[in-house]
Amino acid sequence: MSFSLSPDFFVMWTPEPGRTIEVGPRREPMELPAIPLPLRKEDADREHLSDDQIGEGLFDYLRQFPDCPHAAEYARILQEGFPHYLAEIGSQIVMLDARQVDPLYIRRKIRLLKILLLLEPENPGLLQQIGMAHYQVGTMFSELANCRTDLLRAMNYFQKALGRVEDLTSLNYLAQIDYLLGDYSAAARRWQGVVDRLPQGGARSRLEERLSAIDRDDVPGQPLVDDIERISLAVENYNEQLYDDALAVMREVLDNAYLTALYQPPELFHFYGLCLEKNYDLRTAAEAFQQALEIDADYKPAQEGLERVAG
């Protein structure tokens, strides 16, 4: 028996033996597998299900749950019986790429990429794209509570991609994740592999500096991901109006020069400014808002914060 992962919107339906759908330009019959298939709830009570209703249920369900049971079979049915949905996935990914600054859209993009990966599980490009998306969303300020989870998921996809094609991009991302997780020897091995293949230039020099720092044990005393997660604790304190607790955490986090050298989104200093403002340190709050604007001159919340404390 299989249960819907979203019973309010989908029900599971097992086709009767011999049930077919028409596929291809010649509308040839394709027998559906005898497995539970998701249907949209409004279609479940219809006396006669159309092929389109079956396809719509599969597509909508996979877009939400690409890791569900029978996902590979669902994707194959879409590929053979409803290929226009796969074309739509490609179009949606292109549109979502234009809105990458929003974590909601990045997570939606990950789900769509996973559907394509069901059909090409050995595709290193898809594996790398999913890894990059998890890394990107996991290091976004609003998603820091999930940072460790997303980094580990990104690592998994990058490792799979490297297992199929040796690629400097995946290798560099893996080194960065190793460094954030505190595995400095692994980071050094991977970065050395990148440096060995890079031509002389700024990128190679920066990585060589990192390797030299690791070699002389000039590394964080604890994994940087610990402090990154503590930022989400400060946000939680702030939202609960525990402004002094939030400020204390942020001061400790920003005292970590290793972290601020590597992680400098404008949201970080804007939030620090908010904590200072709520604790009536308006002069330092103005400096924090200015720091955020030095990173991104168009970051509107910091512009508003600076105007507010100056006023």
Side-chain angles (χ1 to χ4, degrees), residues 286-306:
E287 294 173 357
F289 292 138
Q290 186 60 50
Q291 275 185 285
L293 291 173
E294 288 171 5
I295 297 168
D296 182 356
D298 296 323
Y299 188 59
K300 190 172 181 179
Q303 293 173 349
E304 295 171 346
L306 189 58

Side-chain angles (χ1 to χ4, degrees), residues 135 137-149 151 176-177 179-182 222-235 249-250 252-254 256 258-260 262-265 268 271:
Y135 182 92
V137 74
T139 53
M140 295 180 75
F141 189 83
S142 62
E143 300 295 299
L144 294 185
N146 303 310
C147 178
R148 190 185 303 266
T149 298
L151 289 179
Q176 187 85 337
I177 294 170
Y179 190 86
L180 290 172
L181 295 176
Q222 65 181 31
L224 291 180
V225 71
D226 292 350
D227 273 340
I228 290 175
E229 288 178 328
R230 292 186 69 215
I231 296 170
S232 66
L233 172 63
V235 173
V249 172
M250 288 303 296
E252 291 178 7
V253 167
L254 291 175
N256 187 339
Y258 292 105
L259 177 66
T260 54
L262 198 64
Y263 186 66
Q264 293 186 342
L268 178 67
F271 177 68

Side-chain angles (χ1 to χ4, degrees), residues 8-27:
D8 290 336
F9 298 98
F10 298 94
V11 298
M12 306 308 289
W13 163 75
T14 302
E16 63 274 13
R19 176 62 190 265
T20 63
I21 57 174
E22 295 181 346
V23 303
R26 301 174 63 178
R27 312 306 296 163

Side-chain angles (χ1 to χ4, degrees), residues 45-78:
D45 295 329
R46 295 181 184 271
E47 186 175 351
H48 300 290
L49 278 172
S50 70
D51 290 358
D52 287 341
Q53 287 159 354
I54 294 171
E56 288 166 1
L58 287 168
F59 182 54
D60 289 347
Y61 196 75
L62 267 185
R63 282 193 299 178
Q64 294 187 47
F65 310 110
D67 300 312
C68 67
H70 305 296
E73 291 98 324
Y74 297 165
R76 183 188 63 81
I77 295 171
L78 286 180

Side-chain angles (χ1 to χ4, degrees), residues 22-38:
E22 295 181 346
V23 303
R26 301 174 63 178
R27 312 306 296 163
E28 297 177 349
M30 181 185 85
E31 186 169 344
L32 293 173
I35 59 174
L37 304 179

Side-chain angles (χ1 to χ4, degrees), residues 183-254:
D183 191 345
Y184 306 118
S185 59
R189 287 195 305 273
R190 298 193 203 273
W191 269 326
Q192 188 63 60
V194 176
V195 166
D196 290 343
R197 295 166 177 80
L198 281 180
Q200 295 294 334
R204 176 170 179 150
S205 297
R206 286 189 292 273
L207 288 185
E208 287 175 337
E209 289 173 7
R210 288 191 180 184
L211 286 170
S212 296
I214 294 173
D215 187 56
R216 61 178 183 269
D217 203 28
D218 181 9
V219 294
Q222 65 181 31
L224 291 180
V225 71
D226 292 350
D227 273 340
I228 290 175
E229 288 178 328
R230 292 186 69 215
I231 296 170
S232 66
L233 172 63
V235 173
E236 184 179 326
N237 288 335
Y238 183 93
N239 290 336
E240 294 176 357
Q241 300 184 12
L242 302 174
Y243 302 126
D244 53 345
D245 291 344
L247 179 58
V249 172
M250 288 303 296
R251 279 178 168 154
E252 291 178 7
V253 167
L254 291 175

